[in-house]
Amino acid sequence: MTNDSTLIDASTLPRLVVRADGQIIQEVALDTGLSIGRAEDNDLQLADPKVSRHHARVHKEGTTYVLEDLGSANGTLVNGVPLTEPHTLQHGERITVGDVELTYEEPGRSSEDTVIAPASVAGEQPKLAKQPVPPPPVAAPPPESSAKGASGLTIGLVVAAVVVFAVIAILVAFLVVPGLMGEATPAVMATQTPQVVTATDAPAPSTTPVESTVTTPELATSEPVAGSSEEFDQLLTQADALNRRSKFEEAIAIYEDLTRRDPDDARPEIGWAWTLLWDDQAEEALAHAERAVALDPTSAEAAAVLGRVHVEIGDKQQALEMAQKAVALDAGSAIAHAVLAEAWLVNGRTQEAVQEADIALVQDINNANAHRIRGWIYHVVDNDMGRAAGELQIAAGLQPELWLRRHELGTLLLTAEDYTTAIMAFQDALGIWPKAVTYSAIGEAYYRLGQYDQAKASLDLALSAGATDLNTQALAAVTYARLGRCDDAKPFYDRALEEDPGEPLALEAEDLCEGSRPSATPSPTTVSASVPTPVSTPRPSSQPTSPPPPSPAALSGRIAFPVWNVEEGQYDVYVAQARDGSGRQLVVKEMHQPAFHPDGSWLAVNGERDEHMNLFIVRPDGSGLKEISEHIEDGFAHWSPDGESLAFSSTMHGDKQSRVYVIDEVPFEGRREEGRALNFGPDDVRGENPAWTADDRIVYKGCDLTVEPAQCGLFVMLSAPGPHPTTQLTEDPEDAAPAVHGDRIAFMSNRDGNWEIYLVQDDGSGLERLTNNAASDGLPAWSPDGRTIAFVSNQDGPWAVWAMSPDGSNRRKLFDVGGGGLRFNWQQEQISWGP
């Protein structure tokens, strides 16, 4: 990113506000226009590997400014939508170029004037306000407590200021146009940027059309006649507004009154069911949702809420049937499509889930539940934590006073191992509505940080608030055990193991106190309220024959690995001795994904620095750096067994889908090659993470798009030119990073909700899990002799390189990764073991 442009305080010209990681880093005035790209000759230079050298331009046409993509590799987005033709910019529109966001602002106006609905930014990891890790709350705050921490206070002040402005506007409108208020439905303010939007998670249970206006339930336009239909509708509107402010008890009181007044009206039952869902009481919501459907079988709202309840209580088939009914009753309902997307997701039909979530967003970009389910799809299906967090942050911004939105955002950050920021999100949720599940989640985040006293304090609050779930019991047990308080730990792990004899945290607590079982490691096991559960595939197990494990001292060779450089914000590649990490040496800066040549003479790496973003080869001592591929999208290089060819994956194709390519003769002299795509006959294969077998085949992570639904997992096919059939080895889309030795393939997978190492034969038989603990284990790499598997793990907190025998035994840490460790998207890296 260029840093030589002057920051503009005020201007009579329109401007582009440049943000990276959510922070404004530059403002650029527009005169006749400007060019945007990675090359130095651009008016706005962006040092982002996803930005093309000449990516896009803005030019003036009359009094307007037009944005045009210049055929960039990764495309340009406007408000989250790919740009396919020149686009006239409007104030407040957001342009996404790589991982950078540009906001177009007209002179005399600021982001407060923006009326554009928020859209997700590809690859962006949302950041809450950075501050020291807050201590656990000492007492449960009342529902309207303002003690939310610095992040919650900032959001509250922004929302309060905008709401005051909105209320004044409403009062003026009321005086000028009597009866106007009777036509509006309450809405909330988005907090990502101060914007006036309508957040429509669940439709208000009334026939009143939704307006893009901010109102307050306390204001009335006229004095309704007691018992009139107008009063009934106003009470429904008021209850819906209370729900969105997490005032669930007050909302339920209204619904109780309305059901007594008119027991045949389905709308209060619909609202009541949503209230209980938002309050994490799905079992209690079931009766009200069923009653709503019985009262009005033609109501899409009733069918949608019943489908949502069935998702929460685990009735997958019932959820799908009711969600499909909701869409059939009202194909234009965003909430119906959002619920159907979640129903497809929990039934393992990911392609349909993506389609329905996208339809929901097209129908209502301000629907919080549509953004929510799109975020979880990004996480569960694509393992794209950046986009997932972005969508959940949008949902939280659309409904800033609904505790569940903050809790879910915290849960995702906990999964991403961003524990400090997760705690902030959870504490924002507690400031809105104190819930035992949120106290428990904070306790888990502190436990993962190794701050056991703070974890205990939060878990004690969860237990005091009535938490009796297995996860809280196990967390309390292991936390007390870590603190040496085994008398307090024992009742908790006894109860947890009685409910689930294999509960890993409870087993760890028992081992710490009694020394009777193998130790486990803490993991993010807290289940977020209203979070879809990934679908697992049943797997066979067997014990392949493997050589006897060597002792740690017998390990030979070198391991190449990436290390995050905090100051530069990029990865660097290092090499160290496999046995203990000694002889650590920096090979090359601002590059990653190293792969050793079979004889150890070269490393293939993926560039991240400006003008060095393709595939390169370099000597392990850092000399002889040569660029060998054409496109910045190329990555995940892997050498053929003879060291003459190189496989890699790339999204260079115009449709941006990842394909596997082969460079048949590696240009050691340094010329650039594009490579040829593997082809299965009808088309090129779609895949990534290639690994070469000894018999000239390539194993890769991919999907078979010729069947419906698409089948994803690990595949294998011949590497030779020409079309060849593919063979599917595994059947889970979470399987990734294959590493081959002989007839055995080690790989990592999140198929059971946690990253572990697995092993499978090259014919797809003998699948077994090698690791089974609460840490994140991944990126396997075989030793040259095939007697050991190296992998990365955060078992002890900081990322480190570990090793084990091919049967999963003899697990031990070799050395710490060091530096900034690995980032939240560590699954996109690789390590390599060479001679």
Side-chain angles (χ1 to χ4, degrees):
M1 184 73 64
T2 55
N3 294 316
D4 53 356
S5 297
T6 304
L7 195 68
I8 301 169
D9 294 324
S11 175
T12 58
L13 296 172
R15 62 188 183 272
L16 291 179
V17 180
V18 185
R19 290 178 173 85
D21 287 334
Q23 302 296 316
I24 297 177
I25 61 172
Q26 193 176 1
E27 295 187 14
V28 183
L30 296 172
D31 187 0
T32 58
L34 56 77
S35 59
I36 303 168
R38 185 162 45 84
E40 293 183 359
D41 59 351
N42 288 285
D43 300 310
L44 177 58
Q45 184 186 8
L46 303 177
D48 182 334
K50 297 181 181 177
V51 176
S52 296
R53 289 178 172 84
H54 298 94
H55 195 106
R57 72 184 182 108
V58 178
H59 63 277
K60 189 174 183 180
E61 292 186 1
T63 60
T64 63
Y65 287 82
V66 177
L67 172 68
E68 181 181 3
D69 184 84
L70 299 178
S72 63
N74 289 316
T76 303
L77 307 180
V78 177
N79 299 324
V81 179
L83 189 65
T84 57
E85 59 186 16
H87 172 77
T88 301
L89 292 170
Q90 303 293 323
H91 173 73
E93 287 190 318
R94 294 183 295 177
I95 305 163
T96 305
V97 180
D99 286 341
V100 180
E101 179 183 290
L102 315 172
T103 304
Y104 174 75
E105 294 188 357
E106 295 175 349
R109 303 177 68 184
S110 66
S111 59
E112 282 78 2
D113 303 317
T114 303
V115 294
I116 302 299
S120 61
V121 180
E124 180 178 341
Q125 172 69 21
K127 302 289 183 183
L128 301 180
K130 291 294 182 183
Q131 60 187 36
V133 179
V138 296
E144 295 186 64
S145 168
S146 61
K148 304 181 184 179
S151 175
L153 178 60
T154 301
I155 293 171
L157 290 175
V158 172
V159 174
V162 181
V163 171
V164 168
F165 175 80
V167 171
I168 293 173
I170 292 165
L171 289 173
V172 172
F174 169 64
L175 293 174
V176 174
V177 187
L180 177 63
M181 294 295 294
E183 299 299 319
T185 300
V188 296
M189 305 302 299
T191 60
Q192 286 186 303
T193 55
Q195 304 168 18
V196 181
V197 297
T198 303
T200 54
D201 177 20
S206 74
T207 57
T208 308
V210 177
E211 303 289 340
S212 296
T213 309
V214 176
T215 67
T216 57
E218 289 79 4
L219 296 177
T221 60
S222 60
E223 191 69 33
V225 178
S228 68
S229 174
E230 182 181 358
E231 181 196 26
F232 198 95
D233 290 344
Q234 285 189 359
L235 287 172
L236 282 172
T237 299
Q238 184 178 9
D240 182 65
L242 290 168
N243 272 332
R244 299 176 192 280
R245 295 168 58 193
S246 298
K247 294 181 177 293
F248 303 125
E249 295 174 354
E250 297 174 42
I252 287 175
I254 292 176
Y255 291 132
E256 285 180 321
D257 177 57
L258 294 178
T259 55
R260 284 193 296 267
R261 294 190 189 192
D262 188 351
D264 295 328
D265 195 320
R267 294 174 298 167
E269 297 289 356
I270 295 171
W272 201 335
W274 280 115
T275 303
L276 293 168
L277 278 172
W278 287 338
D279 196 24
D280 195 25
Q281 300 184 55
E283 295 287 348
E284 292 79 0
L286 179 61
H288 297 283
E290 289 178 335
R291 194 173 299 126
V293 171
L295 289 171
D296 189 354
T298 65
S299 169
E301 299 172 13
V305 72
L306 182 54
R308 185 76 169 75
V309 170
H310 281 304
V311 167
E312 289 304 308
I313 63 178
D315 292 338
K316 299 178 183 180
Q317 187 58 39
Q318 289 293 320
L320 185 58
E321 291 176 4
M322 293 311 303
Q324 289 174 320
K325 178 181 179 180
V327 170
L329 288 169
D330 186 357
S333 169
I335 188 62
H337 285 284
V339 172
L340 181 55
E342 189 167 359
W344 281 125
L345 183 60
V346 298
N347 277 279
R349 301 282 291 274
T350 56
Q351 187 173 4
E352 291 88 345
V354 171
Q355 179 180 348
E356 292 299 328
D358 289 345
I359 291 173
L361 287 171
V362 168
Q363 290 178 333
D364 186 357
I365 192 63
N366 294 330
N367 188 285
N369 204 53
H371 284 287
R372 167 195 171 275
I373 187 56
R374 194 63 185 90
W376 286 112
I377 289 173
Y378 276 132
H379 169 45
V380 174
V381 178
D382 303 318
N383 195 30
D384 189 335
M385 199 64 73
R387 287 189 174 186
E391 292 292 336
L392 291 189
Q393 191 178 42
I394 291 172
L398 288 167
Q399 294 180 325
E401 294 183 274
L402 185 59
W403 80 277
L404 187 60
R405 299 291 173 246
R406 304 289 171 184
H407 180 92
E408 286 191 334
L409 178 58
T411 300
L412 188 79
L413 293 168
L414 186 65
T415 304
E417 301 174 6
D418 190 353
Y419 305 123
T420 300
T421 314
I423 289 171
M424 297 177 189
F426 286 134
Q427 288 191 329
D428 282 344
L430 284 177
I432 298 171
W433 185 242
K435 296 288 291 183
V437 67
T438 305
Y439 284 121
S440 181
I442 291 178
E444 180 164 358
Y446 277 123
Y447 178 71
R448 292 287 285 169
L449 287 168
Q451 299 177 24
Y452 303 125
D453 287 326
Q454 294 93 326
K456 173 188 172 297
S458 292
L459 291 168
D460 285 347
L461 288 171
L463 294 166
S464 298
T468 58
D469 61 285
L470 173 63
N471 185 71
T472 303
Q473 300 285 323
L475 277 169
V478 75
T479 300
Y480 275 120
R482 289 284 183 184
L483 291 169
R485 298 176 55 174
C486 287
D487 288 343
D488 295 318
K490 190 175 190 311
F492 289 111
Y493 66 69
D494 282 346
R495 284 195 293 269
L497 293 174
E498 182 179 358
E499 183 175 345
D500 181 2
E503 212 298 320
L505 293 177
L507 288 173
E508 180 179 359
E510 185 183 47
D511 177 66
L512 288 169
C513 290
E514 302 178 18
S516 60
R517 295 179 183 269
S519 173
T521 317
S523 70
T525 53
T526 300
V527 178
S528 169
S530 306
V531 177
T533 303
V535 179
S536 298
T537 304
R539 294 164 301 284
S541 63
S542 69
Q543 286 287 17
T545 304
S546 61
S551 65
L555 295 180
S556 62
R558 299 163 295 173
I559 293 179
F561 54 98
V563 178
W564 182 255
N565 186 321
V566 177
E567 294 181 358
E568 299 295 334
Q570 304 271 9
Y571 277 106
D572 301 330
V573 171
Y574 283 78
V575 167
Q577 293 297 318
R579 62 179 179 272
D580 56 5
S582 62
R584 181 188 182 99
Q585 178 182 354
L586 173 64
V587 178
V588 61
K589 294 179 65 67
E590 298 179 274
M591 295 192 177
H592 64 137
Q593 297 175 351
F596 262 116
H597 187 277
D599 66 9
S601 59
W602 292 96
L603 281 169
V605 291
N606 183 2
E608 288 195 308
R609 71 176 75 165
D610 188 32
E611 303 301 328
H612 290 77
M613 298 184 181
N614 308 337
L615 291 181
F616 288 75
I617 55 174
V618 62
R619 297 288 188 182
D621 62 2
S623 65
L625 182 68
K626 296 178 175 64
E627 186 176 18
I628 62 168
S629 80
E630 287 279 359
H631 302 279
I632 64 173
E633 296 86 359
D634 303 343
F636 293 109
H638 193 277
W639 297 87
S640 62
D642 61 11
E644 296 182 359
S645 304
L646 200 72
F648 65 96
S649 58
S650 179
T651 58
M652 70 173 80
H653 194 277
D655 61 11
K656 306 298 53 175
Q657 294 184 19
S658 184
R659 290 166 165 80
V660 178
Y661 296 83
V662 171
I663 297 175
D664 290 302
E665 294 184 5
V666 175
F668 290 100
E669 70 278 10
R671 72 178 186 276
R672 297 193 300 179
E673 295 283 348
E674 183 168 284
R676 58 175 174 82
L678 295 186
N679 189 282
F680 66 97
D683 197 0
D684 298 334
V685 300
R686 305 298 196 270
E688 58 184 351
N689 294 142
W692 225 298
T693 69
D695 57 356
D696 206 31
R697 294 181 297 161
I698 291 178
V699 180
Y700 62 92
K701 172 187 178 180
C703 291
D704 181 359
L705 304 181
T706 65
V707 296
E708 179 65 32
Q711 298 296 313
C712 299
L714 295 183
F715 291 77
V716 64
M717 68 178 299
L718 286 174
S719 63
H724 300 284
T726 64
T727 301
Q728 187 167 1
L729 303 179
T730 69
E731 299 179 350
D732 197 291
E734 296 294 323
D735 300 344
V740 185
H741 191 277
D743 59 359
R744 296 171 296 173
I745 302 169
F747 64 96
M748 70 179 189
S749 181
N750 193 31
R751 56 172 62 201
D752 288 327
N754 188 57
W755 287 106
E756 306 283 3
I757 307 293
Y758 293 77
L759 193 71
V760 68
Q761 299 297 300
D762 62 2
D763 61 359
S765 65
L767 179 65
E768 67 169 322
R769 183 164 63 182
L770 301 184
T771 65
N772 187 8
N773 63 85
S776 291
D777 299 331
L779 310 183
W782 288 89
S783 63
D785 62 9
R787 301 175 68 189
T788 307
I789 298 174
F791 58 98
V792 298
S793 178
N794 60 357
Q795 176 171 331
D796 288 345
W799 283 101
V801 177
W802 290 64
M804 63 181 170
S805 300
D807 62 359
S809 64
N810 201 20
R811 177 187 177 112
R812 70 274 192 195
K813 185 167 76 172
L814 300 180
F815 57 87
D816 288 327
V817 168
L822 302 176
R823 298 293 287 166
F824 69 90
N825 60 343
W826 63 272
Q827 302 92 338
Q828 298 301 306
E829 293 307 314
Q830 66 185 28
I831 66 173
S832 181
W833 196 333

